[in-house]
Amino acid sequence: MSLKDHVQTRATVVRAGETVTLVSIEDWYGGQILAPVDTAIIVAAAGKPRQHLPETKLWVMA
C-alpha cells in the first residue's frame, strides 16, 4: 500500500496508555472505530506528555 492510497484526516486521542494509544479517526464510520498507535509516536507528534494526550486532535494519513 502506498501513500497514494491514504488520505489526510483528523484523529482524536481517546485513550493514551503507556505503550498503546487509541485514536478515533473522524472519517472512519463517524469516528466510531478506534485505531491503535504506538504511544511514543503520538507523544513525539503532539509534543505533549502522555497524561495530556486525551482529546488531542491530530492530522493523520489513513
Side-chain angles (χ1 to χ4, degrees), residues 11-18 20-24 34 39 42-43 46-58:
T12 303
V13 175
V14 175
R15 180 185 175 280
E18 289 187 30
V20 176
T21 291
L22 297 176
V23 297
S24 169
L34 301 179
T39 297
I42 300 297
V43 166
K48 295 181 177 182
R50 180 179 62 87
Q51 296 80 356
H52 295 128
L53 288 177
E55 300 185 25
T56 299
K57 295 195 180 292
L58 304 163

Side-chain angles (χ1 to χ4, degrees), residues 1-32:
M1 187 177 289
S2 70
L3 284 180
K4 293 178 188 175
D5 299 327
H6 295 80
V7 295
Q8 189 174 35
T9 187
R10 294 291 279 177
T12 303
V13 175
V14 175
R15 180 185 175 280
E18 289 187 30
T19 58
V20 176
T21 291
L22 297 176
V23 297
S24 169
I25 309 294
E26 291 180 14
D27 288 344
W28 290 1
Y29 300 95
Q32 301 276 335

